[in-house]
């Protein structure tokens, strides 16, 4: 029962900026794409507050 509740709360958790950046980097298909994504993150793609 406790395990089910824990899994449910993890599913509802909003990912933070670091989690979103890591997921974005993991989606790279090759080295060039990875470097491009790293530059986007360095420019603050996920750190902007609207």
């Amino acid at each position: 029962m406790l395990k089910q509740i824990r899994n449910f709360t993890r599913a509802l958790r909003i990912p933070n900026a670091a989690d979103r950046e890591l997921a974005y980097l993991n989606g790279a298909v090759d080295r060039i794409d990875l470097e491009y994504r790293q530059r986007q993150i360095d420019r603050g793609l996920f750190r902007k507050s609207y």
Side-chain angles (χ1 to χ4, degrees), residues 18-49:
D19 292 337
R20 291 191 312 257
E21 289 173 354
L22 185 59
Y24 183 65
L25 288 175
N26 286 337
V29 293
D30 59 9
R31 185 180 59 96
I32 305 295
D33 187 27
L34 178 62
E35 291 173 355
Y36 172 76
R37 290 172 186 241
Q38 287 173 330
R39 284 193 304 272
Q40 292 294 322
I41 289 173
D42 289 342
R43 290 183 186 132
L45 179 65
F46 294 98
R47 304 276 178 187
K48 295 178 183 174
S49 59

Side-chain angles (χ1 to χ4, degrees), residues 5-20:
I5 294 171
R6 189 175 298 145
N7 288 339
F8 182 71
T9 57
R10 283 184 189 149
L12 293 179
R13 185 179 64 86
I14 298 172
N16 59 14
D19 292 337
R20 291 191 312 257

